[in-house]
Amino acid sequence: FVQVMSPSHLKMKVWERGAGPTLACGTGACALTVAAIRAGKIPRSGKEGTRVTLPGGDLFIEWREENNRIYMTGPADLSFKGTAQLK
């Protein structure tokens, strides 16, 4: 689910099959940004990137024209710590 907030800001909610709503999806945020640019919904952002707001926080996605690569920046937080016994 996507909403264009401004030419440099998208809002996204992700529904993962089998899991339901998720807090974030970096791959989806990158795909969304490229799709929005290709569909003419937003222009390419400069080095600051396109802000993609997800329930877990903001990611900044830059699709560089000179090398056609996608760069994602944003926070990384520990969301779970545990142990598992493998047999």
Side-chain angles (χ1 to χ4, degrees):
F1 305 98
V2 179
Q3 183 178 5
V4 177
M5 306 300 288
S6 77
S8 62
H9 183 196
L10 302 169
K11 189 173 182 180
M12 175 183 183
K13 289 188 179 179
V14 178
W15 181 278
E16 187 176 330
R17 183 177 48 200
T22 62
L23 294 178
C25 178
T27 304
C30 290
L32 163 65
T33 301
V34 171
I37 292 167
R38 290 188 58 137
K41 301 295 182 185
I42 61 169
R44 277 187 199 250
S45 294
K47 294 241 184 242
E48 70 278 358
T50 299
R51 177 178 160 200
V52 179
T53 298
L54 298 125
D58 288 347
L59 295 173
F60 293 87
I61 312 299
E62 179 190 358
W63 184 20
R64 291 189 189 166
E65 198 164 3
E66 68 267 10
N67 62 10
N68 203 35
R69 292 189 179 184
I70 302 167
Y71 298 87
M72 176 177 61
T73 57
D77 294 320
L78 179 65
S79 60
F80 180 80
K81 186 174 181 179
T83 59
Q85 274 195 326
L86 303 175
K87 294 183 179 186

